[in-house]
Amino acid sequence: MQYALEVKIPFLGIPIKGVNNPIFVIDGIIYNSHNKSLVKINTFSEFVEQFNEAIGFNCAKTNEYWDTSFPFSSYYIYVTNEIAEKAINECNIPIDRKEKFDVLHLIDEALFPSNYIIKALRTAQELDSSILYREGEEPVKIMNKPFKIRTILSFPIDYRVKYIDNSIIHLVGIIPIEYVESNSIELIEIENGLWSALYSLPYPSVKNWKWIGDVNWVTLIEFLKSEEA
């Protein structure tokens, strides 16, 4: 049975180790694949253990599987919030929304140290908005209708760049900002080219396909704006 989730997607912004560049997080409506696969990972079990320890109640229950129809980082942010909400409601835990997100941010940092994609996605979830995010700066809320998203493929990547200099870093960083102002499809094409140049990824031949950063993975998605879907 197919179902859809509205999740946060790290739509623009290429991870480069040691570089603090902006990332544009959008809302995406993703439908799981008829041929979906479930991959067992320890991350959700580790999250549950840390969440129960943080709140002092043994209420959160584990979800050990990642549905690969969704980008991992987006799925992690969605599922862990659902786990926390269910635990808080079922056990009547005396914790408000801000305190819940304080705990979620702390656990995210423990599980994914200094990972700005996870920080950006969790911040967008907390603000319930698409955002332009740069660590150490106030996130900027962006008015955006959700995109319809389909995951094409994901695979692990170590994010070791072939070559980098200040001009490339600047170009990578300016694309999310310029896109927020212009919504230009050409900027998405340029970023795909940079993914190829930096990480030797094949350039997507389909107009509405693009690479996105995904924690320790890279994921190729197909996207349509809501008015095109």
Side-chain angles (χ1 to χ4, degrees), residues 60-190:
K61 304 301 180 185
T62 187
N63 178 333
E64 297 180 342
Y65 293 90
W66 163 32
D67 181 346
T68 57
S69 300
F70 306 97
F72 170 77
S73 56
S74 301
Y75 192 65
Y76 165 81
I77 292 296
Y78 177 88
V79 168
T80 51
N81 184 60
E82 290 294 301
I83 291 172
E85 278 291 310
K86 186 174 181 180
I88 290 167
N89 292 332
E90 289 187 354
C91 291
N92 293 315
I93 299 169
I95 181 174
D96 62 24
R97 189 176 187 277
K98 181 183 183 305
E99 292 168 330
K100 180 196 74 173
F101 275 104
D102 287 345
V103 170
L104 292 178
H105 281 294
L106 287 172
I107 298 174
D108 293 342
E109 180 62 23
L111 296 179
F112 304 98
S114 302
N115 190 288
Y116 84 105
I117 289 177
I118 292 294
K119 292 180 181 179
L121 295 178
R122 187 69 79 189
T123 301
Q125 184 183 64
E126 182 176 8
L127 296 175
D128 193 23
S129 174
S130 298
I131 63 170
L132 192 61
Y133 177 91
R134 186 174 185 178
E135 190 169 358
E137 299 180 3
E138 193 71 21
V140 178
K141 288 187 175 183
I142 306 297
M143 297 298 294
N144 258 90
K145 293 182 178 180
F147 284 29
K148 184 177 180 181
I149 304 287
R150 181 170 68 95
T151 299
I152 307 299
L153 57 86
S154 295
F155 56 84
I157 188 172
D158 64 7
Y159 286 109
R160 294 182 183 177
V161 297
K162 294 171 60 179
Y163 172 79
I164 195 72
D165 66 11
N166 287 337
S167 61
I168 295 175
I169 290 172
H170 177 74
L171 179 57
V172 169
I174 203 68
I175 286 174
I177 298 171
E178 292 288 338
Y179 180 82
V180 165
E181 296 176 353
S182 69
N183 285 309
S184 171
I185 190 71
E186 285 79 12
L187 291 169
I188 295 173
E189 295 170 353
I190 292 170

Side-chain angles (χ1 to χ4, degrees), residues 19-34:
V19 174
N20 180 23
N21 265 341
I23 179 171
F24 179 39
V25 178
I26 64 168
D27 291 307
I29 300 173
I30 305 186
Y31 294 85
N32 76 327
S33 169
H34 288 296

